[in-house]
Amino acid sequence: MIRRRTLPALAAGFGAGLATPALSQGAWPNRNIRLVVPYPPGGASDIAGRLQAEALQAALGVPCVVDNRSGAGGTVGTLHVAQSPPDGYTVMMASPSSHLGAPLLFRNAGYDGVDDFTAIATFATGTAVVCVHPGVPARNIQELVAYAKANPGKLNYGSAGAGGANHMLGVLFMLRTGTELTHVPYRGAAPALADLIAGNIQVVFDSYSGVIGSIRAGQIRALGVTNPTRWPLAPDMPTVQEQGVPDYDLPSFSAVMGPKGIPEPIVRRMNEAINAGLRDPAMVRRLEANGNVPFASTPAEFDALMRAQRGTWRELVRVSGVQPEG
């Protein structure tokens, strides 16, 4: 199980005399850094990317420019970064969707989301909430499991699209509980939530930030958060795990990655820059306003997380039966 915690700050700086190709033309950084967001402007990923860029710019003292390169489920921008020079001047806003899901869902993605990249730093983590329409006779996870087992296949759950995190959370739920739900993919989380409110579907596994307004309005019922520990922004909401579903965890996070081969001193300095931003109370408040909390790590811990989750995503996509596009 992945334990989310804020880690102590890493030692900053390069150390004298480190000779690497990327540093041979002057101290790094000495020009603009480009942070690619592989999704359109305005969405949650774009917001995370812009906050990452602010943290890098504040700590490193050079402009960090956001470059939105969207298309094909995030693979266009992600492939561009994978093929960029590993000099620390091109990095990206990375997520499980862009690096773990997309390579499995697009036959010609052109990259491995782990092996073709340098893990630099995690930035923020979110959680999802298992929600049902008020007409479903379940007020907790145990009652939902019992009702689903008594009515196999009759509960429909919506997602933002086949193969995405909302879909995979449902697949993982069925695997861990021995239930059978029917997946209904939508073109985004918003229409799925609208159909849940209308009673056209019965369940969603959606982000905390996306559903909290509807929960507070009484339009839908929250049964539990998918995080393995109670969510700091909703401490009274129980987790799915504590309600009897073991090993139910599919981490949701935004992070910074770059092309494979970035020199280790640059990686360390970028990691410290991101972690410094996460210690800024103003940055924490902005993350929380979007339903997220800081998620700091060392590069090694981030790389280990990605490698562990790659196996989980492969198994979930296999079980779901989703076929690659393209």
Side-chain angles (χ1 to χ4, degrees):
M1 174 173 54
I2 303 300
R3 297 184 183 275
R4 296 181 174 87
R5 56 194 176 90
T6 300
L7 304 170
L10 302 176
F14 288 113
L18 288 172
T20 68
L23 300 180
S24 62
Q25 297 181 1
W28 183 93
N30 58 18
R31 56 185 173 90
N32 292 2
I33 294 171
R34 188 162 53 104
L35 190 143
V36 173
V37 175
Y39 301 104
S45 296
D46 181 60
I47 293 171
R50 292 180 187 279
L51 291 176
Q52 291 170 359
E54 288 185 24
L56 288 169
Q57 181 167 305
L60 298 176
V62 297
C64 186
V65 181
V66 172
D67 179 6
N68 293 92
R69 288 179 177 254
S70 60
T75 61
V76 171
T78 306
L79 179 61
H80 172 78
V81 173
Q83 297 174 337
S84 296
D87 54 12
Y89 289 104
T90 300
V91 293
M92 71 175 292
M93 194 298 300
S95 68
S97 293
S98 60
H99 282 68
L100 301 176
L104 300 172
L105 300 172
F106 291 85
R107 189 171 284 110
N108 299 312
Y111 63 88
D112 181 284
V114 179
D115 294 337
D116 292 336
F117 292 86
T118 298
I120 297 171
T122 50
F123 180 67
T125 184
T127 193
V129 184
V130 183
C131 298
V132 297
H133 183 269
V136 175
R139 295 190 173 275
N140 54 51
I141 293 297
Q142 296 98 323
E143 291 179 359
L144 177 64
V145 171
Y147 185 77
K149 287 184 175 180
N151 299 274
K154 294 184 179 180
L155 286 176
N156 298 318
Y157 80 96
S159 80
N166 308 123
H167 180 194
M168 293 300 106
L169 281 166
V171 174
L172 184 62
F173 185 83
M174 288 186 282
L175 283 175
R176 295 289 187 261
T177 61
T179 55
E180 180 185 344
L181 310 178
T182 299
H183 176 230
V184 182
Y186 290 81
R187 292 184 178 274
L193 178 60
D195 256 10
L196 178 69
I197 293 170
N200 296 323
I201 58 175
Q202 291 76 47
V203 186
V204 297
F205 302 78
D206 203 355
S207 68
Y208 170 83
S209 58
V211 298
I212 188 60
S214 299
I215 293 169
R216 290 171 176 166
Q219 296 172 308
I220 58 177
R221 182 184 302 134
L223 303 187
V225 296
T226 62
N227 202 55
T229 58
R230 293 227 177 181
W231 191 237
L233 305 183
D236 295 333
M237 197 176 295
T239 71
V240 173
Q241 285 199 35
E242 72 182 82
Q243 296 182 74
V245 182
D247 299 323
Y248 187 75
D249 183 25
L250 193 66
S252 170
F253 54 87
S254 65
V256 180
M257 300 186 84
K260 181 179 180 179
I262 297 177
E264 191 270 343
I266 293 178
V267 173
R268 281 193 288 112
R269 192 164 177 196
M270 295 187 84
N271 179 276
E272 171 56 20
I274 288 294
N275 287 346
L278 296 179
R279 295 191 294 271
D280 179 359
M283 178 68 76
V284 173
R285 287 194 295 270
R286 293 171 70 187
L287 287 173
E288 291 179 346
N290 288 290
N292 298 307
V293 297
F295 180 23
S297 69
T298 66
E301 288 169 327
F302 178 22
D303 183 71
L305 168 63
M306 292 295 289
R307 293 185 183 280
Q309 287 299 304
R310 179 170 59 180
T312 299
W313 275 77
R314 283 174 174 169
E315 177 61 13
L316 291 177
V317 170
R318 184 192 68 78
V319 171
S320 73
V322 175
Q323 296 299 309
E325 298 180 15

